[in-house]
Amino acid sequence: MQNSSDPTRVGQRVHFAGQPRRVGTVRYVGPVEGYGGDWVGVDWDADGQGKHDGSHNGVRYFTARGLHTASFVRSHNLSSGVSLLEAFETRYRAQSTKEEEDEMYVLSARNKKVTVELLGKHQIEDKFSRFEELTSASLSYLGVSFPGPRDKISSTLPNLKELDLTGNLLSDWNDISIICEGLPALTALNLSNDSMSPVILCMPQLSNIRILVLNQTGVLWDQVEALKDALPQVEELHLMGNHIRKITPMSSDFVQGFDTLRLLNLDNNCISTWDEIVKFSQIRRLEQLLLNNNNLNRISYPDCGKLDQPSNECGNGSQERSSIPFKSLRSLYLGGNNIEDLPSLDSLNSFPNLMVSITFQDNISLKDIRLSGNPVADVGKGGVARFVIIARIAKMELHNGSQVGPREREDSEIRYVRLVMSKCNGDLEEIRRLHPRFYELKKIHGLDDERPTTEASGPQKMASGLISISLKCVGASMGEKTPLVKKLPSTATVGKLKNLCLSFFKLKSVKPILFLKEEDSLLPILLEDDMATLVELGVGNDSTILVDELP
């Protein structure tokens, strides 16, 4: 609870007494018209936790960030927090109360409460109570607002390597410096949901930190640049949900330094142009770049000649390796953006090492490119089918988490080549411009003797364009129908196939909808454009079409 000798001040981080997850910032201290005494105006972090926007009965006292994020409360109902070591005592040495233990029960067959005792509970409590042995600790949402004596932290927690301080009341970088200096073994620090100050008055000492998590802290790239010299060994930097729009290097057009950085997480921000991302192209060891759920609408590999390396030419063997853009980048996460153009897909082939991704759940290396949630990968939004993406991106072995095996890659690339030939009507220059991998794939799969042409006609043209398709009824009212295998022209439209399905399966009073079920795809793809041809939508030989019905 707040001490009366420590008066509440504007800008202070607090939580509601007894509710450490209800965290906010003090925006006003003083009288409220119509009520006695002083009140504290708090702007809560979570939407909907307040009653107004900082005004009351027509009088504005402060401006909250939302319509219902602010409240006026008495100071005794607020807590200004506890020290780091006090939080450790609460989390790891506090004994279970009788009330908590009374709540641990199951109901018997006769509906009577049977007390549950956790096996090994006392041994676990004893282990965690020996602070000098702790190497990892979580103090999330415990109201930590200041470090306490640095020497006492050092003597109490000499071996702590990982510390999670998510959702506490810390905001001053000097306090973070004291904590890190007091924990000489600390290498991983999580400050997520702590509203960190945009002002860094003195450089915090974070020299041993290798993993720094600043998700939803309000930290922008300006502050990251200011912290750069304090993070000489940082390998992972997480900045999710900070409303970052611009990357603002301190002394160059490109981000410099961060020589040990391998992973940069910018998920759930507001970056809208790829030019901002290019500013990271000179970080020498950057391997993983997470850009999910931003506002990016294109990707491109930067022109080496435009980079801030005037003395070197891209491709020159004598150049400094750092001049090669994104030279170490192996994983690029782009899910949930607005990428809709095919040249963006083609540009992924230009990144020299873009092929390996790490999944954080099990830390297994994967050759993976994540494009889910982008228009270019959504057939229903005018994007292209899975087989086109596989064919255009040479290094991908997983697509959105689904395995791309050798058989699927070969089939996809052959289908893609034939699709291109069917649409470009023999215009070789047009093919070269729009489909950079076309001639490479023709050579790989021995299709050099096939020429895009419109000269075939009659039965020969019909026979060469037939594909074998499996049709399966899955509609609830269609009954059990034996699956059929039919040979159809690849140029048949979706609308034509719907009519044929009505005839093949003798369906009446049904409005069919069709889905393409690809062998290695998790979900079938809706074929909703009645005017699109089967070949345009990626329906190839031995494809499976699911026949469903509109509700």
Side-chain angles (χ1 to χ4, degrees), residues 116-183:
V116 173
E117 182 176 349
L118 295 178
L119 185 64
K121 171 176 177 287
H122 297 296
Q123 291 92 327
I124 294 172
E125 287 180 346
D126 180 61
K127 177 182 178 180
F128 282 117
S129 67
R130 297 195 296 272
F131 288 170
E132 69 279 2
E133 297 180 12
L134 283 179
T135 59
S136 177
S138 174
L139 302 181
S140 58
Y141 294 99
L142 284 182
V144 178
S145 60
F146 63 101
R150 181 173 53 196
D151 292 344
K152 190 171 182 180
I153 294 174
S154 299
S155 61
T156 305
L157 301 160
N159 296 305
L160 194 69
K161 297 179 180 180
E162 300 175 358
L163 178 59
D164 183 359
L165 289 170
T166 295
N168 281 283
L169 307 181
L170 294 163
S171 62
D172 191 329
W173 285 104
N174 187 52
D175 289 338
I176 304 303
S177 179
I178 293 172
I179 290 173
C180 292
E181 289 174 7
L183 299 171

Coordinates of all heavy atoms in Angstrom, one line a residue, residues 116-183:
V116 N -7.5 -31.5 -1.6 CA -6.5 -32.0 -2.5 C -5.1 -31.5 -2.0 O -5.0 -30.3 -1.6 CB -6.7 -31.4 -4.0 CG1 -5.5 -31.7 -4.8 CG2 -7.9 -32.0 -4.6
E117 N -4.2 -32.3 -1.9 CA -2.8 -31.9 -1.4 C -1.9 -32.1 -2.6 O -1.8 -33.2 -3.2 CB -2.3 -32.8 -0.3 CG -1.0 -32.3 0.2 CD -0.5 -33.1 1.5 OE1 -1.4 -33.8 2.1 OE2 0.6 -33.0 1.8
L118 N -1.1 -31.1 -3.0 CA -0.2 -31.2 -4.1 C 1.0 -32.0 -3.8 O 1.7 -31.7 -2.8 CB 0.2 -29.8 -4.6 CG -0.9 -28.9 -5.1 CD1 -0.3 -27.5 -5.4 CD2 -1.6 -29.5 -6.3
L119 N 1.3 -33.0 -4.6 CA 2.4 -33.9 -4.4 C 3.7 -33.1 -4.5 O 3.9 -32.4 -5.6 CB 2.4 -35.1 -5.3 CG 3.5 -36.1 -5.1 CD1 3.3 -36.8 -3.8 CD2 3.4 -37.2 -6.2
G120 N 4.6 -33.1 -3.6 CA 5.9 -32.4 -3.7 C 5.8 -30.9 -3.5 O 6.7 -30.2 -3.7
K121 N 4.6 -30.4 -3.0 CA 4.4 -29.0 -2.8 C 5.5 -28.4 -1.9 O 6.1 -27.3 -2.2 CB 3.0 -28.8 -2.2 CG 2.7 -27.3 -1.8 CD 1.3 -27.2 -1.4 CE 1.0 -25.8 -0.8 NZ 1.6 -25.6 0.5
H122 N 5.8 -29.0 -0.8 CA 6.7 -28.4 0.2 C 8.1 -28.5 -0.3 O 8.9 -27.5 -0.1 CB 6.6 -29.2 1.5 CG 5.3 -29.1 2.2 ND1 4.8 -27.8 2.6 CD2 4.3 -30.0 2.4 CE1 3.5 -28.0 3.1 NE2 3.3 -29.3 3.0
Q123 N 8.5 -29.5 -1.1 CA 9.8 -29.6 -1.7 C 10.0 -28.5 -2.7 O 11.1 -27.9 -2.8 CB 10.0 -31.0 -2.4 CG 10.1 -32.1 -1.4 CD 8.8 -32.8 -1.1 OE1 7.8 -32.1 -1.2 NE2 8.8 -34.1 -0.9
I124 N 9.0 -28.2 -3.5 CA 9.1 -27.2 -4.5 C 9.2 -25.8 -3.8 O 10.0 -25.0 -4.2 CB 7.8 -27.2 -5.5 CG1 7.9 -28.5 -6.3 CG2 7.8 -26.0 -6.4 CD1 6.6 -28.7 -7.1
E125 N 8.3 -25.6 -2.8 CA 8.4 -24.3 -2.1 C 9.8 -24.1 -1.5 O 10.3 -23.0 -1.5 CB 7.3 -24.3 -1.0 CG 5.9 -24.1 -1.6 CD 4.9 -24.1 -0.5 OE1 5.2 -24.4 0.7 OE2 3.7 -23.7 -0.8
D126 N 10.3 -25.2 -0.9 CA 11.7 -25.1 -0.3 C 12.7 -24.7 -1.3 O 13.6 -23.9 -1.1 CB 12.0 -26.4 0.4 CG 13.4 -26.3 1.1 OD1 13.5 -25.5 2.0 OD2 14.3 -27.1 0.7
K127 N 12.6 -25.3 -2.5 CA 13.6 -25.0 -3.6 C 13.6 -23.6 -4.0 O 14.6 -22.9 -4.1 CB 13.4 -26.0 -4.7 CG 14.3 -25.7 -5.9 CD 14.0 -26.6 -7.1 CE 14.9 -26.3 -8.3 NZ 14.6 -27.2 -9.4
F128 N 12.4 -23.1 -4.2 CA 12.3 -21.7 -4.7 C 12.5 -20.7 -3.6 O 12.8 -19.5 -3.9 CB 10.9 -21.5 -5.3 CG 10.7 -22.0 -6.7 CD1 9.8 -23.0 -6.9 CD2 11.4 -21.6 -7.7 CE1 9.6 -23.6 -8.2 CE2 11.3 -22.1 -9.0 CZ 10.4 -23.1 -9.3
S129 N 12.4 -21.1 -2.4 CA 12.7 -20.1 -1.3 C 14.2 -19.9 -1.1 O 14.6 -19.0 -0.4 CB 12.1 -20.6 0.0 OG 12.7 -21.8 0.5
R130 N 15.0 -20.8 -1.7 CA 16.5 -20.6 -1.6 C 16.9 -19.7 -2.7 O 17.3 -20.1 -3.8 CB 17.2 -21.9 -1.6 CG 16.9 -22.8 -0.4 CD 17.8 -24.0 -0.3 NE 17.8 -24.9 -1.5 CZ 17.0 -25.9 -1.6 NH1 16.1 -26.2 -0.6 NH2 17.0 -26.7 -2.6
F131 N 16.8 -18.3 -2.5 CA 17.0 -17.4 -3.6 C 18.4 -17.5 -4.2 O 18.5 -17.2 -5.4 CB 16.8 -15.9 -3.0 CG 15.4 -15.6 -2.7 CD1 15.1 -14.4 -2.0 CD2 14.3 -16.4 -3.1 CE1 13.7 -14.1 -1.7 CE2 13.0 -16.1 -2.8 CZ 12.7 -14.9 -2.1
E132 N 19.4 -17.8 -3.4 CA 20.7 -17.9 -4.0 C 20.9 -18.9 -5.0 O 21.8 -18.9 -5.8 CB 21.8 -18.1 -2.8 CG 21.7 -19.5 -2.2 CD 20.6 -19.7 -1.1 OE1 19.9 -18.7 -0.9 OE2 20.6 -20.7 -0.5
E133 N 19.9 -19.9 -5.1 CA 20.0 -20.9 -6.1 C 19.2 -20.6 -7.4 O 19.3 -21.3 -8.4 CB 19.6 -22.3 -5.5 CG 20.5 -22.8 -4.4 CD 20.0 -24.1 -3.8 OE1 19.1 -24.7 -4.5 OE2 20.5 -24.5 -2.8
L134 N 18.3 -19.6 -7.3 CA 17.5 -19.3 -8.4 C 18.3 -18.8 -9.6 O 19.1 -18.0 -9.5 CB 16.5 -18.2 -8.0 CG 15.3 -18.6 -7.1 CD1 14.4 -17.3 -6.9 CD2 14.4 -19.6 -7.8
T135 N 17.9 -19.4 -10.8 CA 18.5 -18.9 -12.0 C 17.5 -18.3 -12.9 O 17.8 -17.6 -13.9 CB 19.2 -20.1 -12.8 OG1 18.2 -21.1 -13.1 CG2 20.3 -20.7 -12.0
S136 N 16.2 -18.5 -12.7 CA 15.1 -18.0 -13.5 C 13.9 -17.6 -12.5 O 13.6 -18.4 -11.6 CB 14.6 -19.0 -14.5 OG 13.6 -18.4 -15.3
A137 N 13.3 -16.4 -12.8 CA 12.2 -16.0 -11.9 C 11.2 -15.2 -12.7 O 11.6 -14.4 -13.6 CB 12.8 -15.2 -10.7
S138 N 10.0 -15.3 -12.3 CA 8.9 -14.5 -12.9 C 8.2 -13.7 -11.8 O 7.7 -14.3 -10.8 CB 7.9 -15.3 -13.6 OG 6.8 -14.5 -14.0
L139 N 8.2 -12.4 -11.9 CA 7.6 -11.5 -10.9 C 6.5 -10.7 -11.7 O 6.2 -9.5 -11.3 CB 8.6 -10.5 -10.3 CG 9.7 -11.1 -9.6 CD1 10.6 -10.1 -9.0 CD2 9.3 -12.1 -8.5
S140 N 5.8 -11.3 -12.6 CA 4.8 -10.5 -13.4 C 3.7 -10.1 -12.6 O 3.2 -10.8 -11.7 CB 4.3 -11.4 -14.6 OG 3.7 -12.6 -14.1
Y141 N 3.3 -8.8 -12.8 CA 2.1 -8.2 -12.1 C 2.2 -8.3 -10.6 O 1.2 -8.7 -9.9 CB 0.8 -8.8 -12.7 CG 0.6 -8.5 -14.1 CD1 0.9 -9.4 -15.1 CD2 0.1 -7.3 -14.5 CE1 0.7 -9.1 -16.4 CE2 -0.1 -7.0 -15.8 CZ 0.2 -7.9 -16.8 OH 0.0 -7.6 -18.1
L142 N 3.3 -8.0 -10.0 CA 3.4 -8.0 -8.6 C 3.6 -6.5 -8.0 O 3.9 -6.4 -6.9 CB 4.6 -8.9 -8.1 CG 4.3 -10.4 -8.2 CD1 5.5 -11.2 -7.6 CD2 3.0 -10.7 -7.3
G143 N 3.5 -5.5 -8.9 CA 3.6 -4.2 -8.4 C 5.0 -3.7 -8.1 O 5.2 -2.8 -7.3
V144 N 6.0 -4.3 -8.8 CA 7.4 -3.8 -8.5 C 7.6 -2.4 -9.1 O 7.3 -2.2 -10.3 CB 8.4 -4.8 -9.2 CG1 9.8 -4.2 -9.0 CG2 8.3 -6.2 -8.7
S145 N 8.0 -1.5 -8.3 CA 8.1 -0.1 -8.7 C 9.5 0.5 -8.5 O 9.8 1.6 -9.1 CB 7.1 0.8 -8.0 OG 7.3 0.8 -6.6
F146 N 10.3 -0.2 -7.7 CA 11.7 0.3 -7.5 C 12.6 -0.9 -7.1 O 12.1 -1.9 -6.7 CB 11.8 1.4 -6.4 CG 11.4 1.0 -5.1 CD1 12.3 0.7 -4.1 CD2 10.0 0.9 -4.7 CE1 11.9 0.3 -2.8 CE2 9.6 0.5 -3.4 CZ 10.6 0.2 -2.5
P147 N 13.9 -0.7 -7.4 CA 14.8 -1.9 -7.2 C 15.1 -2.2 -5.7 O 15.2 -3.4 -5.3 CB 16.1 -1.5 -8.0 CG 16.0 0.0 -8.0 CD 14.6 0.4 -8.0
G148 N 15.3 -1.2 -4.9 CA 15.8 -1.4 -3.6 C 17.3 -1.4 -3.6 O 17.9 -1.1 -4.7
P149 N 18.0 -1.6 -2.5 CA 19.5 -1.5 -2.4 C 20.2 -2.5 -3.4 O 19.9 -3.7 -3.4 CB 19.8 -1.9 -0.9 CG 18.5 -1.6 -0.2 CD 17.4 -2.0 -1.2
R150 N 21.1 -2.0 -4.2 CA 21.7 -2.8 -5.2 C 22.6 -3.9 -4.5 O 22.6 -5.0 -5.0 CB 22.6 -1.9 -6.1 CG 23.4 -2.7 -7.2 CD 24.1 -1.7 -8.1 NE 24.9 -0.8 -7.3 CZ 25.4 0.4 -7.8 NH1 25.1 0.7 -9.1 NH2 26.2 1.1 -7.1
D151 N 23.3 -3.6 -3.5 CA 24.2 -4.6 -2.8 C 23.3 -5.7 -2.3 O 23.8 -6.9 -2.3 CB 25.0 -3.9 -1.7 CG 26.0 -2.9 -2.2 OD1 26.3 -3.0 -3.5 OD2 26.5 -2.1 -1.5
K152 N 22.2 -5.4 -1.8 CA 21.3 -6.5 -1.2 C 20.8 -7.4 -2.3 O 20.6 -8.6 -2.1 CB 20.2 -5.9 -0.4 CG 19.4 -6.9 0.4 CD 18.4 -6.2 1.3 CE 17.7 -7.3 2.2 NZ 16.7 -6.7 3.1
I153 N 20.5 -6.8 -3.5 CA 20.0 -7.6 -4.6 C 21.1 -8.5 -5.0 O 20.9 -9.7 -5.3 CB 19.6 -6.6 -5.8 CG1 18.4 -5.8 -5.4 CG2 19.4 -7.5 -7.0 CD1 18.1 -4.7 -6.5
S154 N 22.4 -8.0 -5.1 CA 23.5 -8.9 -5.5 C 23.7 -10.0 -4.6 O 24.0 -11.2 -5.0 CB 24.8 -8.0 -5.6 OG 24.6 -7.0 -6.5
S155 N 23.7 -9.8 -3.3 CA 23.9 -10.8 -2.3 C 22.8 -11.8 -2.2 O 23.0 -13.0 -1.9 CB 24.2 -10.2 -0.9 OG 23.1 -9.5 -0.5
T156 N 21.6 -11.4 -2.5 CA 20.4 -12.3 -2.4 C 20.2 -13.1 -3.6 O 19.8 -14.3 -3.5 CB 19.1 -11.4 -2.2 OG1 19.3 -10.6 -1.1 CG2 17.9 -12.3 -2.0
L157 N 20.5 -12.6 -4.8 CA 20.2 -13.3 -6.1 C 21.5 -13.4 -7.0 O 21.5 -12.9 -8.1 CB 19.1 -12.6 -6.8 CG 17.8 -12.4 -6.1 CD1 17.0 -11.3 -6.7 CD2 17.0 -13.8 -6.2
P158 N 22.5 -14.0 -6.5 CA 23.8 -14.0 -7.2 C 23.8 -14.8 -8.5 O 24.7 -14.5 -9.4 CB 24.8 -14.6 -6.2 CG 24.0 -15.5 -5.4 CD 22.6 -14.8 -5.2
N159 N 22.9 -15.7 -8.7 CA 22.9 -16.6 -9.9 C 21.7 -16.4 -10.8 O 21.6 -17.2 -11.7 CB 23.0 -18.1 -9.4 CG 24.2 -18.4 -8.7 OD1 25.3 -18.1 -9.2 ND2 24.1 -18.9 -7.4
L160 N 21.0 -15.4 -10.6 CA 19.8 -15.2 -11.4 C 20.1 -14.8 -12.9 O 20.8 -13.8 -13.1 CB 18.8 -14.1 -10.8 CG 17.4 -14.1 -11.4 CD1 16.6 -15.3 -11.0 CD2 16.7 -12.8 -11.0
K161 N 19.7 -15.6 -13.9 CA 20.0 -15.3 -15.3 C 18.8 -14.8 -16.1 O 19.0 -14.1 -17.0 CB 20.5 -16.6 -15.9 CG 21.8 -17.2 -15.3 CD 22.2 -18.5 -16.0 CE 23.5 -19.0 -15.4 NZ 23.9 -20.3 -16.1
E162 N 17.6 -15.2 -15.7 CA 16.4 -14.7 -16.4 C 15.4 -14.1 -15.5 O 15.1 -14.7 -14.4 CB 15.8 -15.9 -17.1 CG 16.7 -16.6 -18.1 CD 16.1 -17.9 -18.8 OE1 15.0 -18.2 -18.4 OE2 16.8 -18.5 -19.6
L163 N 14.9 -12.9 -15.8 CA 14.0 -12.2 -14.9 C 12.8 -11.7 -15.8 O 13.0 -10.9 -16.7 CB 14.7 -11.1 -14.2 CG 13.8 -10.3 -13.3 CD1 13.1 -11.1 -12.2 CD2 14.6 -9.2 -12.6
D164 N 11.6 -12.1 -15.4 CA 10.4 -11.6 -16.0 C 9.7 -10.5 -15.1 O 9.2 -10.9 -14.1 CB 9.4 -12.7 -16.3 CG 8.2 -12.3 -17.1 OD1 8.0 -11.1 -17.4 OD2 7.3 -13.2 -17.4
L165 N 9.7 -9.3 -15.6 CA 9.0 -8.2 -14.8 C 7.8 -7.7 -15.6 O 7.5 -6.5 -15.5 CB 10.1 -7.1 -14.6 CG 11.2 -7.4 -13.5 CD1 12.3 -6.4 -13.6 CD2 10.6 -7.6 -12.1
T166 N 7.1 -8.5 -16.3 CA 6.0 -8.1 -17.1 C 4.9 -7.5 -16.2 O 4.6 -8.0 -15.1 CB 5.4 -9.3 -17.8 OG1 6.3 -9.8 -18.7 CG2 4.1 -8.9 -18.5
G167 N 4.3 -6.3 -16.6 CA 3.2 -5.7 -16.0 C 3.4 -5.1 -14.6 O 2.5 -5.1 -13.8
N168 N 4.6 -4.6 -14.4 CA 4.9 -4.0 -13.1 C 4.8 -2.5 -13.2 O 4.3 -2.0 -14.2 CB 6.2 -4.5 -12.6 CG 6.1 -5.9 -11.9 OD1 5.6 -6.0 -10.8 ND2 6.5 -6.9 -12.7
L169 N 5.3 -1.8 -12.2 CA 5.2 -0.3 -12.2 C 6.5 0.4 -12.5 O 6.6 1.6 -12.4 CB 4.7 0.1 -10.8 CG 3.4 -0.5 -10.3 CD1 3.0 0.0 -8.9 CD2 2.3 -0.4 -11.3
L170 N 7.4 -0.3 -13.1 CA 8.7 0.3 -13.4 C 8.6 1.2 -14.6 O 7.9 0.8 -15.6 CB 9.7 -0.8 -13.7 CG 10.1 -1.7 -12.5 CD1 10.8 -3.0 -12.9 CD2 11.0 -0.9 -11.5
S171 N 9.3 2.3 -14.6 CA 9.2 3.2 -15.8 C 10.6 3.9 -16.0 O 10.9 4.4 -17.1 CB 8.1 4.2 -15.7 OG 8.3 5.1 -14.6
D172 N 11.4 4.0 -14.9 CA 12.6 4.8 -15.0 C 13.8 3.9 -15.4 O 14.0 2.9 -14.8 CB 12.9 5.4 -13.6 CG 14.0 6.4 -13.6 OD1 14.9 6.3 -14.4 OD2 13.9 7.3 -12.8
W173 N 14.5 4.3 -16.4 CA 15.6 3.5 -16.9 C 16.7 3.4 -15.9 O 17.5 2.4 -15.9 CB 16.1 4.0 -18.2 CG 15.2 3.7 -19.4 CD1 14.3 4.5 -20.0 CD2 15.1 2.4 -20.0 NE1 13.7 3.9 -21.0 CE2 14.1 2.6 -21.0 CE3 15.7 1.2 -19.8 CZ2 13.7 1.5 -21.9 CZ3 15.3 0.1 -20.7 CH2 14.3 0.3 -21.7
N174 N 16.8 4.3 -15.0 CA 17.8 4.3 -14.0 C 17.5 3.1 -13.0 O 18.5 2.4 -12.6 CB 17.9 5.6 -13.2 CG 19.0 5.6 -12.2 OD1 20.2 5.4 -12.6 ND2 18.7 5.9 -11.0
D175 N 16.3 2.9 -12.7 CA 15.9 1.7 -11.9 C 16.3 0.4 -12.6 O 16.7 -0.5 -11.9 CB 14.4 1.7 -11.6 CG 14.0 2.8 -10.6 OD1 14.9 3.3 -9.9 OD2 12.8 3.2 -10.6
I176 N 16.1 0.4 -13.9 CA 16.4 -0.9 -14.7 C 17.9 -1.1 -14.6 O 18.4 -2.2 -14.5 CB 16.0 -0.7 -16.1 CG1 14.5 -0.5 -16.2 CG2 16.3 -2.0 -16.9 CD1 13.6 -1.5 -15.5
S177 N 18.7 0.0 -14.7 CA 20.1 -0.1 -14.6 C 20.6 -0.6 -13.2 O 21.5 -1.5 -13.1 CB 20.8 1.3 -14.8 OG 22.2 1.3 -14.7
I178 N 19.9 -0.2 -12.1 CA 20.3 -0.7 -10.8 C 20.0 -2.2 -10.7 O 20.8 -2.9 -10.1 CB 19.5 0.1 -9.7 CG1 20.0 1.6 -9.7 CG2 19.7 -0.5 -8.4 CD1 19.2 2.5 -8.8
I179 N 18.9 -2.6 -11.2 CA 18.5 -4.0 -11.2 C 19.5 -4.8 -11.9 O 20.0 -5.9 -11.4 CB 17.1 -4.2 -11.8 CG1 16.0 -3.6 -10.8 CG2 16.8 -5.7 -12.0 CD1 14.6 -3.6 -11.4
C180 N 19.9 -4.4 -13.1 CA 20.9 -5.2 -13.9 C 22.3 -5.2 -13.3 O 23.0 -6.2 -13.3 CB 21.0 -4.6 -15.3 SG 19.4 -4.9 -16.3
E181 N 22.7 -4.0 -12.7 CA 24.0 -4.0 -12.0 C 24.0 -4.9 -10.8 O 25.0 -5.5 -10.4 CB 24.3 -2.6 -11.6 CG 24.6 -1.7 -12.8 CD 24.8 -0.2 -12.3 OE1 24.8 0.0 -11.1 OE2 25.0 0.7 -13.2
G182 N 22.8 -5.0 -10.1 CA 22.7 -5.9 -9.0 C 22.6 -7.3 -9.3 O 22.6 -8.2 -8.4
L183 N 22.4 -7.7 -10.5 CA 22.2 -9.1 -10.9 C 23.3 -9.4 -12.0 O 23.0 -9.4 -13.2 CB 20.8 -9.3 -11.5 CG 19.7 -9.1 -10.6 CD1 18.3 -9.1 -11.3 CD2 19.7 -10.1 -9.4

